[in-house]
Amino acid sequence: AQTVTQSQPEMSVQEAETVTLSCTYDTSESDYYLFWYKQPPSRQMILVIRQEAYKQQNATENRFSVNFQKAAKSFSLKISDSQLGDAAMYFCAYTGANSKLTFGKGITLSVRP
Amino acid sequence: GAVVSQHPSWVICKSGTSVKIECRSLDFQATTMFWYRQFPKQSLMLMATSNEGSKATYEQGVEKDKFLINHASLTLSTLTVTSAHPEDSSFYICSAIDPRQGGTEAFFGQGTRLTVV
């Protein structure tokens, strides 16, 4: 079975600074996708970024980028120029052949003004 | 991106009654939808996979007679919490896979906050 581990329950970052959220996963599949989701206080799940396992290039979306280390099964999210609106709970997630999403426990990110 | 609408956003019901939550894909057909449960400050726990035209597949430990799932059309899945009790109070979220986008990305409804009194 696939597992996703987010070991840090909380993090804090100063506005305009950079923060990295960690995630590791375990799988025996060779073809899979990894995601970072943001869940603000409204609790609507918002896709931040996705990474296809077969792609070596790290995904980027504006201020958000990932460091995908396939051999180490690591998938961290870097948020640059943090903004107050980035404060939320962030979930790392995995999907493979069965299309089911496996989520990590999540991390609560706070942004200090 | 694809839109998934969940209704109602919140509901309060009395113990012993049943409540139905709807999940609709508004601009695409979804053969597969998923239902999750989330407690405050915790992760999403997959309850079941809803398959259009066939029985839902429940995760281990989820009572299929308590949480009835029906996926009668390609755009609608419903979750009915039967004989609700206060411990069923939670946040329920649905998601659907848009096959037009490679079938790898899930789109989420807004969620339903259920309170059983």
Side-chain angles (χ1 to χ4, degrees):
Chain A
Q2 296 77 29
T3 59
V4 177
T5 302
Q6 293 178 255
S7 55
Q8 306 157 302
E10 296 179 347
M11 283 196 77
S12 180
V13 63
Q14 188 75 37
E15 193 176 7
E17 296 294 310
T18 295
V19 65
T20 299
L21 311 183
S22 301
C23 173
T24 59
Y25 62 95
D26 192 23
T27 182
S28 58
E29 295 181 303
S30 58
D31 189 18
Y32 54 88
Y33 296 79
L34 297 164
F35 306 87
W36 278 97
Y37 283 94
K38 172 184 178 181
Q39 189 179 43
S42 68
R43 302 188 81 169
Q44 172 72 55
M45 295 291 285
I46 301 167
L47 178 65
V48 175
I49 199 165
R50 60 179 279 168
Q51 174 79 45
E52 293 87 342
Y54 64 85
K55 288 188 178 179
Q56 293 186 340
Q57 187 172 7
N58 290 324
T60 62
E61 285 288 342
N62 301 314
R63 299 184 293 109
F64 300 88
S65 62
V66 299
N67 184 0
F68 175 47
Q69 301 291 325
K70 190 172 183 178
K73 294 188 171 68
S74 170
F75 183 62
S76 60
L77 173 70
K78 185 172 80 171
I79 305 174
S80 304
D81 185 25
S82 296
Q83 300 175 1
L84 295 178
D86 294 334
M89 200 158 184
Y90 287 82
F91 294 97
C92 178
Y94 168 105
T95 192
N98 64 9
S99 297
K100 292 183 182 180
L101 272 171
T102 300
F103 288 93
K105 288 187 175 181
I107 180 171
T108 300
L109 177 68
S110 58
V111 181
R112 304 186 301 275
Chain B
V3 180
V4 175
S5 178
Q6 192 172 335
H7 178 81
S9 298
W10 60 270
V11 58
I12 301 173
C13 71
K14 292 185 177 181
S15 287
T17 62
S18 296
V19 60
K20 180 184 288 187
I21 302 169
E22 293 186 346
C23 181
R24 294 182 184 273
S25 55
L26 297 186
D27 54 354
F28 67 99
Q29 294 183 329
T31 55
T32 303
M33 293 185 175
F34 301 91
W35 286 96
Y36 299 86
R37 183 173 182 175
Q38 186 183 30
F39 291 104
K41 298 290 186 181
Q42 294 189 23
S43 189
L44 281 71
M45 180 190 76
L46 180 64
M47 299 174 66
T49 303
S50 174
N51 303 298
E52 189 269 334
S54 64
K55 291 184 179 180
T57 305
Y58 290 83
E59 295 299 303
Q60 191 173 7
V62 177
E63 299 176 62
K64 60 180 67 176
D65 295 330
K66 154 84 62 187
F67 300 101
L68 299 179
I69 292 173
N70 185 282
H71 195 151
S73 78
L74 286 170
T75 58
L76 173 64
S77 175
T78 60
L79 168 67
T80 301
V81 183
T82 63
S83 186
H85 291 286
E87 56 265 32
D88 298 325
S89 298
S90 190
F91 191 68
Y92 295 87
I93 310 175
C94 71
S95 74
I97 302 290
D98 185 353
R100 303 170 303 177
Q101 303 193 28
T104 57
E105 183 175 337
F107 295 89
F108 289 83
Q110 308 94 314
T112 298
R113 184 183 304 278
L114 170 63
T115 302
V116 184
V117 298

